Amino acid sequence: MVRAAVLPAVGSPLEITDIDLPEPGPGQVRVRLAAAGVCHSDLSLTNGTMRVPAPAVLGHEGAGTVVSVGEGVTSVAPGDEVVLNWAPSCGSCHPCSLGEVWLCVNALNGAASVYARTADGTELHPGLNVAAFAEETVVAENCLIPLPEGIPLTEAALLGCAVLTGYGAIHHAAKVRAGETVAVFGAGGVGLATLQSARIAGAAQIIAVDVSPEKEELARRAGATDFVVASETTAKDIRKLTGGQGTDVAVECVGRAVTIRTAWESTRRGGRTTVVGIGGKDQQVTFNALELFHWGRTLAGCVYGNSNPATDVPTLANHIREGRLDLDALVSERIALDGIPAAFDNMVKGKGGRALVVF
Ligand SMILES: [Zn+2]
Ligand SMILES: [Zn+2]
């Protein structure tokens, strides 16, 4: 039996309970979690904005140590430190064959499987494949990325979602070049990782936008050169900060229609907007045909930072070892498993950066 945070049904509060986790089958690996980050997507899965089969153990941003391996597993061995990858790629579908592994059509096949049971025998699904809100989990071998040397295991959890997403938004999606100006909307875990990544890219000016003025200190520590408290005049405020032009790039980490529209309006003519935030179907963003022509801007979605975790995690490890990427600065609180509901409440209220469950 291991402790886990179970989502009994969409819309129900999480229950902290013991679950029965079987030994790993062929191609599977059992991992003892060191830490798991609480991501906004976990909240979206809880309230039904996004859906996976339930009852489930959520948590998709984690790192830990391999306990045991099933038959045929060759890439890791007991004792190895690993980062969990919630979107494993199959290597053979059309997007995978084009190198767009973040769009793998088979990435979430594992979510429908039954991977554990509650004490009374109820079947449990592994959330977004990796069920990291538990002391231990069993995952497919391709959900693991070996942790590079010299990276603290606890904070490495953040590599699994927030950091890959924020780094990828800047480097793969928006392709920020040195000297460009960047606005980042939302200063939660992903937003803070995006700010740090803009700093790594050599952005000349990095403007953080958040509804909460309390985020300013966290945002500046992550590399923001300016901070704007979100209001009806945000686009105008950003224009003023950039000599009347608007930024070269905007990254939206909120997932709301008004923020996406404001991000787009905050860029210069020809500017690029990357949408990282995951919103609901009710969030309609509108543009008129003339302004699309006049401004010549681009607007693009972004999945998991358009990242390839197998190659990006080693790159991120270099940035960490050489002091350019500070994982600790992304963590706003360290909590126990039973602190997840309170961390969800904080996300709803827009407070803090990343809450990290430390086991
Ligand atoms: Zn996430
Ligand atoms: Zn694939």
Side-chain angles (χ1 to χ4, degrees):
M1 289 282 182
V2 298
R3 291 300 271 174
V6 173
L7 175 72
V10 172
S12 305
L14 296 184
E15 287 173 6
I16 313 299
T17 183
D18 285 337
I19 65 165
D20 185 13
L21 193 64
E23 285 309 304
Q28 292 184 323
V29 179
R30 186 178 181 113
V31 176
R32 183 180 303 118
L33 273 299
V38 182
C39 177
H40 207 276
S41 300
D42 295 308
L43 178 63
S44 299
L45 290 165
T46 303
N47 64 26
T49 302
M50 291 162 67
R51 282 181 184 268
V52 285
V57 175
L58 302 182
H60 59 277
E61 180 182 85
T65 307
V66 173
V67 178
S68 57
V69 302
E71 199 188 313
V73 170
T74 54
S75 61
V76 292
D80 285 0
E81 294 184 335
V82 291
V83 177
L84 302 181
N85 169 13
W86 60 263
S89 50
C90 73
S92 57
C93 70
H94 185 61
C96 279
S97 71
L98 295 172
E100 298 178 0
V101 295
W102 57 94
L103 298 177
C104 176
V105 299
N106 295 309
L108 287 179
N109 287 0
S113 68
V114 171
Y115 92 111
R117 284 180 165 71
T118 59
D120 66 7
T122 305
E123 294 183 336
L124 292 171
H125 303 286
L128 291 175
N129 286 317
V130 295
F133 288 164
E135 292 166 331
E136 295 188 14
T137 187
V138 171
V139 301
E141 183 179 12
N142 66 351
C143 290
L144 300 177
I145 306 153
L147 183 67
E149 294 264 311
I151 308 302
L153 182 62
T154 304
E155 288 75 17
L158 300 172
L159 293 173
C161 187
V163 178
L164 273 177
T165 302
Y167 178 82
I170 291 291
H171 290 263
H172 300 310
K175 296 186 167 61
V176 172
R177 294 162 290 199
E180 289 196 309
T181 55
V182 178
V184 178
F185 290 74
V190 172
L192 294 173
T194 305
L195 290 167
Q196 287 203 31
S197 301
R199 180 170 62 188
I200 290 170
Q205 190 178 13
I206 305 171
I207 303 167
V209 183
D210 200 281
V211 288
S212 164
E214 291 146 35
K215 296 276 185 86
E216 178 163 359
E217 197 189 321
L218 275 170
R220 288 194 184 270
R221 200 175 150 206
T225 57
D226 300 272
F227 185 86
V228 171
V229 178
S231 71
E232 279 172 8
T233 62
T234 296
K236 209 183 272 179
D237 296 342
I238 289 176
R239 208 165 294 284
K240 205 180 281 175
L241 286 168
T242 51
Q245 292 203 46
T247 56
D248 297 301
V249 169
V251 181
E252 201 270 3
C253 306
V254 181
R256 291 187 60 210
V258 62
T259 330
I260 293 168
R261 175 75 210 192
T262 305
W264 186 80
E265 283 177 16
S266 300
T267 61
R268 64 168 170 86
R269 271 187 102 178
R272 291 110 67 200
T273 299
T274 298
V275 178
V276 174
I278 303 170
K281 289 178 185 166
D282 59 331
Q283 297 293 309
Q284 295 284 341
V285 192
T286 58
F287 303 92
N288 70 56
L290 182 64
E291 64 186 356
L292 287 176
F293 160 75
H294 172 78
W295 289 99
R297 295 163 169 152
T298 55
L299 175 73
C302 174
V303 175
Y304 207 1
N306 299 2
S307 295
N308 181 345
T311 51
D312 283 330
V313 166
T315 302
L316 292 168
N318 274 337
H319 288 311
I320 295 165
R321 279 190 293 257
E322 290 166 19
R324 290 183 294 272
L325 180 62
D326 179 2
L327 297 181
D328 211 41
L330 305 176
V331 180
S332 53
E333 55 172 344
R334 286 159 204 271
I335 59 174
L337 200 55
D338 58 10
I340 295 173
F344 280 179
D345 287 345
N346 281 339
M347 279 194 283
V348 172
K349 290 178 194 144
K351 282 191 192 164
R354 204 51 139 204
L356 190 63
V357 180
V358 180
F359 293 96

